[in-house]
Amino acid sequence: MAEKNDFIIQTKGLTKEYPFGEATIKAINGIDFALERGEYATIVGPSGSGKTTFLNLIGTIDNPTAGEIFFNGVNLTQMPNKDIRDIRRNKIGFVFQAFNLLEILTTAENIALPMIINGTPTSEREERVYELLEVIGLPDRGDHFPMELSGGQRQRVAIARALANKPELILLDEPTGQLDSNTSREIIDYLMKINEEEGVTLVVVTHEDMIAKEAKRPLTILDGKIYEGILESFLDIKAIEEGTL
Ligand code: ADP
Ligand code: MG
């Protein structure tokens, strides 16, 4: 059943449990959440609070134990696997902390991969790769291998790959976690530009206060539940983890 609203993602009672000996761990504990198209949201939260699990669930690369996820108003839990796969391939882009580039492929080939998978014709694909290399500021690095690039450049390639099929939603799991602060700034500026100019919806999991704060919609995940804003209790937990409290 399609619901009429402007939400790209909506969850109802979203729950993910993992078996743990005799007991279970509730990684995601009944989340009711809605994200409007074109929003820029960030998520902070202590390690183990459920951030990655939440991204994987709304990104359709993991299945909930209970609850529902709606993508553009359509209930994913009732959708045939083939349709979910189409959404995952064409409407959603992923960027992981560890880049996940294939070392045996060049920059251009890595960026082309999602288009090869969904059968984009060669000429269109080549044009898009060229365009994306321009967007990420690496027009002359198409023939380079990932190992020949810096951390920031590799993450820009991972972002270009996530953008290849012109997704409506990009999910980024600590994309700047391994980058210095200048490069991290540069990556976030690219993302904000894509969000503003192309209306792509962004969800960025981050541990950097500066990045978290400047989003239109900062969120916190604590113990498998999501909250609006950056919670003070999270800042306390962070201070304890960092030994500054
Ligand atoms: P975060 O990304 O916020 O650090 P995660 O979403 O990775 O947290 O993990 C949330 C909780 O779920 C943690 O307690 C973690 O140990 C548990 N968890 C995550 N993935 C698995 C898994 N595949 N099997 C068992 N437990 C898991
Ligand atoms: Mg994580």
Side-chain angles (χ1 to χ4, degrees), residues 12-243:
K12 294 182 181 173
L14 187 65
T15 302
K16 179 73 184 184
E17 295 175 346
Y18 291 109
F20 185 72
E22 299 282 287
T24 53
I25 291 178
K26 273 206 161 109
I28 296 297
N29 191 4
I31 289 186
D32 297 317
F33 174 72
L35 185 68
E36 273 176 36
R37 219 181 314 283
E39 267 195 288
Y40 170 28
T42 49
I43 301 177
V44 294
S47 159
S49 58
K51 304 180 299 294
T52 296
T53 307
F54 184 68
L55 275 200
N56 290 347
L57 288 169
I58 64 176
T60 80
I61 57 180
D62 197 358
N63 292 313
T65 314
E68 290 168 320
I69 304 170
F70 297 82
F71 188 88
N72 285 330
V74 183
N75 193 340
L76 288 178
T77 32
Q78 294 171 3
M79 203 182 275
N81 282 338
K82 186 190 157 295
D83 295 356
I84 296 177
R85 199 175 59 207
D86 283 347
I87 288 178
R88 182 163 56 236
R89 284 183 183 170
N90 299 310
K91 307 265 165 110
I92 303 176
F94 287 94
V95 177
F96 305 93
Q97 179 173 1
F99 317 139
N100 289 2
L101 298 177
L102 293 179
E103 299 293 333
I104 57 160
L105 300 182
T106 63
T107 296
E109 288 164 345
N110 267 287
I111 297 172
L113 210 53
M115 295 183 277
I116 294 171
I117 291 169
N118 85 349
T120 305
T122 312
S123 58
E124 194 184 317
R125 200 169 72 210
E126 280 170 0
E127 204 174 304
R128 180 79 178 141
V129 168
Y130 182 75
E131 188 180 293
L132 287 165
L133 284 167
E134 289 277 343
V135 170
I136 59 166
L138 298 174
D140 52 358
R141 295 302 170 95
D143 292 331
H144 287 232
F145 287 92
M147 62 175 287
E148 298 170 322
L149 304 175
S150 71
Q153 291 171 333
R154 289 157 78 90
Q155 195 56 305
R156 273 142 71 181
V157 174
I159 289 169
R161 184 182 56 186
L163 288 169
N165 289 333
K166 303 189 176 168
E168 295 172 24
L169 172 67
I170 305 186
L171 305 173
L172 304 101
D173 198 356
E174 309 207 21
T176 60
Q178 299 182 9
L179 307 177
D180 63 74
S181 60
N182 284 341
T183 316
S184 159
R185 179 73 261 163
E186 196 180 303
I187 293 292
I188 294 299
D189 286 344
Y190 275 126
L191 292 169
M192 287 169 87
K193 184 166 163 249
I194 293 160
N195 170 252
E196 273 159 30
E197 292 177 6
E198 306 189 32
V200 176
T201 311
L202 291 182
V203 183
V204 183
V205 169
T206 182
H207 60 272
E208 292 178 65
D209 296 343
M210 173 200 75
I211 294 174
K213 272 189 232 145
E214 64 190 18
K216 283 175 244 168
R217 180 110 182 261
L219 301 159
T220 305
I221 291 187
L222 267 186
D223 285 336
K225 288 190 178 293
I226 201 161
Y227 304 90
E228 298 292 332
I230 301 169
L231 288 199
E232 222 155 285
S233 52
F234 160 66
L235 294 176
D236 289 345
I237 291 167
K238 195 171 160 183
I240 291 165
E241 281 177 351
E242 289 170 355

